[in-house]
Amino acid sequence: MKKKIMFLFFSICLFNRGFANTLVNYQPFYGEMDTVRKIGDVVIASNELTKGLQDLDAFDVYNNTMYIVNKKRLLQIDLNNGAITTNKTINGFLANLLMPNLYVSNLKVVNDGFWVTILNNLYFISTTGVVKKVYHTYRFFYTFNTANDNLLVTTMDSVELISKSGKRLSVLQFPLTSGNGWIHSTTGLYYNAIEQDSIAAIEATGKNVISTKRYAPLAEMKTIKEPYVSYVSDKYFVVIPYATRNVISLVLKNDFPKRVYKSFSIKGCTPDHNQVEMEEDIPRFRTTYEGDRFFVAAIARGHLRIFSFIP
């Protein structure tokens, strides 16, 4: 049954320098599938803080706040009320990057600061603004994730386990077929660049050992057209149809890829043809998990849309 959606518009004003920038908030959408809670919808070019935002590469959620790096600025979006602020401490670090083409390619927010990668350098920036270069590789970083008290980092041909002080603990040779195949996850690392190949799950086990596990190829999923794994949590593969991005599905790891556990209908996330071409197989669609729910940010047709759902 079609239901009209009531829109509740909050005023948009600039938070930086004493004002607040607020996303347009919506009531939850109820359809034939399960419920998503829309947190906000902002026209990127019309908002002083989001203006120029082109991708969601450096993205994370921590303590009910969504973090997105927009060029030389770290955005903070309150997931309770949609207010957008900016982190002046991190902005100072970003503004002092020596070359204009340097940018943050990965972001991980923790209790006492921020892990970021820029080209082949890994930094830790404390909440007080202290910057430490932790690790350097001869190849660019593709992605990384925390692994208990250590970090799993990836380059073009290897996965490395390093301590948070920058000591290399273990190396797994892992030559890639494509740098676009890394999948963001709650723990460990996941890789799948070709649908016909199995999905590799990589984790750090006891005594600093890097182990791998394989899941069935994505090509075996017949219930979703052009399936794309947006995220992997402890229990689920989060899958979207690459072209339309109008449904987000949860597939239990034990059932992957045969049976969809639950699906959620979403609107406004379908990109136009030009955006798809510019993405180069990396959708401007990010998912993560915190607490008891998933959070999603998507760029499509000039809008940044944010919503959440409970599995």
Side-chain angles (χ1 to χ4, degrees), residues 85-262:
T85 64
T86 183
N87 187 300
K88 294 182 179 180
T89 299
I90 305 302
N91 292 351
F93 166 75
L94 298 176
N96 288 326
L97 295 176
L98 297 178
M99 298 171 59
N101 61 337
L102 292 181
Y103 63 95
V104 174
S105 55
N106 292 282
L107 169 71
K108 184 71 175 179
V109 185
V110 293
N111 181 56
D112 54 345
F114 306 84
W115 292 95
V116 300
T117 57
I118 300 174
L119 299 180
N120 52 352
N121 293 314
L122 172 68
Y123 297 89
F124 181 75
I125 309 167
S126 72
T127 53
T128 59
V130 177
V131 179
K132 180 182 179 181
K133 183 189 289 187
V134 177
Y135 200 64
H136 173 84
T137 69
Y138 69 97
R139 294 183 181 275
F140 295 162
F141 285 105
Y142 278 128
T143 190
F144 71 94
N145 203 357
T146 52
N148 298 318
D149 293 328
N150 300 313
L151 297 166
L152 279 169
V153 301
T154 68
T155 65
M156 183 182 296
D157 56 8
S158 68
V159 175
E160 299 183 26
L161 179 68
I162 64 173
S163 70
K164 292 182 178 178
S165 62
K167 180 182 178 181
R168 181 188 292 177
L169 303 174
S170 185
V171 178
L172 172 68
Q173 297 302 316
F174 196 82
L176 308 182
T177 56
S178 169
N180 298 344
W182 291 106
I183 305 168
H184 296 278
S185 57
T186 302
T187 58
L189 301 168
Y190 289 77
Y191 181 79
N192 178 249
I194 302 174
E195 287 188 356
Q196 289 72 25
D197 291 346
S198 59
I199 297 176
I202 303 169
E203 63 179 8
T205 57
K207 298 183 179 180
N208 298 330
V209 175
I210 302 175
S211 65
T212 59
K213 178 181 178 179
R214 296 283 178 173
Y215 289 88
L218 194 58
E220 295 183 10
M221 174 168 280
K222 305 302 182 184
T223 54
I224 299 175
K225 184 179 180 180
E226 296 182 286
Y228 177 88
V229 179
S230 174
Y231 189 78
V232 185
S233 71
D234 292 340
K235 293 183 179 180
Y236 306 103
F237 284 92
V238 182
V239 185
I240 61 172
Y242 181 82
T244 59
R245 304 174 198 177
N246 59 351
V247 176
I248 190 164
S249 299
L250 301 180
V251 183
L252 286 166
K253 286 184 173 180
N254 293 337
D255 291 336
F256 185 83
K258 298 179 180 178
R259 185 174 67 89
V260 172
Y261 166 71
K262 187 179 290 188

Side-chain angles (χ1 to χ4, degrees), residues 262-298:
K262 187 179 290 188
S263 292
F264 299 82
S265 177
I266 54 179
K267 291 186 177 182
C269 298
T270 303
D272 58 28
H273 178 72
N274 289 337
Q275 177 177 324
V276 172
E277 286 192 339
M278 292 176 62
E279 288 178 340
E280 297 181 349
D281 299 327
I282 304 179
R284 297 170 185 173
F285 188 105
R286 289 293 304 273
T287 310
T288 192
Y289 184 82
E290 186 191 54
D292 64 344
R293 67 194 60 214
F294 288 93
F295 294 94
V296 174

